[in-house]
Amino acid sequence: MAQQQKESVITPEMKKWIGVEGPPTIYEVEKGAIRKFCIAVGDTNPLYLDEEYAKKTKYGGIIAPLGFFGTPVSSGAFGQQPYEVSLKRVLNGGTEYEYIKPVRPGDTIISTRKITDFQERDGRLGRTLYTSSETIYRNQRGEVVAIGRGTTINY
Amino acid sequence: MAKQVYYEDVTEGMELPQLVKHPMPRQLVQWAGATGDYNEFHYNETFAKVRSNLPGIIVHGALVCQFVRQMVSDWVGDEGTLKKLNVSYRGMNFPEQDCICKGKVVKKQVQGDDHLVELEVWSENPKGEKTTPGTAVAILPSRAKK
């Protein structure tokens, strides 16, 4: 017997946004914000916190831990969507960071995000939408410092 | 800081020193403030249960990702470089419970000038379930290059 097909939550309006780069988000990387981030993680590595210590390392000064690109942190998972999603509950599905250059206090990080894919499944939480996105982080010199890939789950 | 690990010290299958975290709700609030992720199911029990249909407040996935990142960063040391970190949020970590970060070396190889190690990394809840499985790639210093 043919199973009744549920209506797809992936609308034609949503599909139009695949591959479209969103407006840039600009973050300033402040030493104090790095410190707050490290305290929240419970990471006391002096490379992120102690200028005198960090000066003696190969970096020559404080760097931000991988995953910190200024505040507020864009995880690539909870960015503003330009479209309506019928499933209102949101979870972070996963994250990948590729670290290309160190992020330092005083840097300005410009990030741009685009949706790369939509998938839907019937899972443990009922009908579930998986939205994949890619975020490119550049510094004030236009150098790509990192690439983030994330999956957002709507259920 | 721990002693610097070198490429030559590493063998495939070798385990990384584990990092045990025990996040309290206070830490989740600190994380919300530090990152701007004010999603209420990370600090509002009623919201988590009623609105989000969860058993209670949950630890931010991105915070668990940072715990795993810290474990890898601590291991590679100042002379090593973490190049890539990938985690999937498969299960939830709840506050007031241990979140145990573990890892092991899957592969080591020299690529050009880089001494690379590929790692399998994950976090576990107290039941031993892998909540945040992932992979990482790091460059380690080599004694031969010194």
Side-chain angles (χ1 to χ4, degrees):
Chain A
M1 212 161 51
Q3 216 181 336
Q4 201 189 335
Q5 280 288 315
K6 272 198 210 167
E7 204 179 318
S8 173
V9 296
I10 305 167
T11 64
E13 168 64 15
M14 285 161 64
K15 282 184 190 164
K16 281 191 219 157
W17 288 96
I18 295 174
V20 179
E21 206 167 78
T25 309
I26 299 167
Y27 302 115
E28 313 238 326
V29 181
E30 293 163 355
K31 213 177 271 186
I34 295 176
R35 177 174 291 270
K36 249 175 104 177
F37 184 89
C38 290
I39 289 169
V41 176
D43 186 348
T44 57
N45 190 331
L47 184 56
Y48 313 130
L49 304 168
D50 181 345
E51 196 63 62
E52 287 310 307
Y53 175 90
K55 261 185 201 163
K56 293 180 204 125
T57 67
K58 66 175 177 180
Y59 300 102
I62 284 179
I63 60 163
L66 173 59
F68 185 81
F69 304 103
T71 305
V73 169
S74 163
S75 66
F78 290 107
Q80 286 290 318
Q81 310 297 1
Y83 47 79
E84 272 290 303
V85 179
S86 57
L87 304 166
K88 298 298 179 199
R89 295 172 179 143
V90 184
L91 286 174
N92 190 344
T95 322
E96 175 178 285
Y97 288 115
E98 213 176 304
Y99 209 20
I100 296 158
K101 277 182 179 292
V103 172
R104 298 171 185 278
D107 278 355
T108 300
I109 303 295
I110 302 113
S111 73
T112 48
R113 177 174 177 268
K114 65 181 178 198
I115 305 295
T116 51
D117 192 30
F118 291 113
Q119 292 287 333
E120 64 189 316
R121 259 178 261 161
D122 286 306
R124 178 160 62 96
L125 299 164
R127 177 54 66 95
T128 310
L129 170 72
Y130 298 84
T131 306
S132 305
S133 63
E134 186 181 271
T135 306
I136 312 244
Y137 300 88
R138 291 183 175 85
N139 64 19
Q140 64 279 15
R141 291 179 293 278
E143 299 162 335
V144 175
V145 294
I147 299 172
R149 294 180 189 92
T151 309
T152 308
I153 296 174
N154 287 74
Y155 65 104
Chain B
M1 296 298 285
K3 213 168 113 261
Q4 179 63 51
V5 67
Y6 287 88
Y7 182 78
E8 289 77 10
D9 304 334
V10 171
T11 52
E12 289 173 6
M14 180 180 158
E15 286 178 17
L16 273 61
Q18 51 174 262
L19 177 68
V20 182
K21 295 283 191 172
H22 193 83
M24 299 301 280
R26 176 192 174 88
Q27 190 170 3
L28 307 193
V29 173
Q30 283 180 314
W31 176 258
T35 63
D37 181 351
Y38 289 106
N39 212 316
E40 280 191 55
F41 59 65
H42 296 301
Y43 53 87
N44 180 340
E45 192 80 25
T46 309
F47 186 98
K49 287 179 174 162
V50 178
R51 295 280 298 279
S52 301
N53 201 20
L54 296 167
I57 61 171
I58 60 169
V59 181
H60 299 74
L63 178 56
V64 180
C65 175
Q66 279 297 316
F67 293 162
V68 172
R69 194 275 312 150
Q70 184 188 348
M71 172 194 63
V72 180
S73 298
D74 285 353
W75 183 68
V76 303
D78 289 350
E79 290 182 48
T81 311
L82 175 56
K83 294 304 288 178
K84 205 172 190 176
L85 177 66
N86 171 313
V87 294
S88 296
Y89 303 115
R90 294 284 169 74
M92 292 167 193
N93 282 94
F94 296 96
E96 301 180 58
Q97 290 185 356
D98 280 350
C99 174
I100 308 128
C101 301
K102 296 182 178 180
K104 68 176 176 202
V105 178
V106 176
K107 196 175 167 186
K108 56 182 281 190
Q109 60 172 326
V110 180
Q111 226 174 62
D113 285 341
D114 293 333
H115 293 73
L116 294 174
V117 286
E118 287 173 32
L119 311 171
E120 184 189 340
V121 294
W122 67 94
S123 66
E124 283 180 9
N125 62 20
K127 288 184 206 156
E129 294 162 342
K130 289 187 183 182
T131 55
T132 310
T135 57
V137 177
I139 299 173
L140 290 182
S142 161
R143 289 186 203 280
K145 266 178 35 178
K146 287 222 110 175

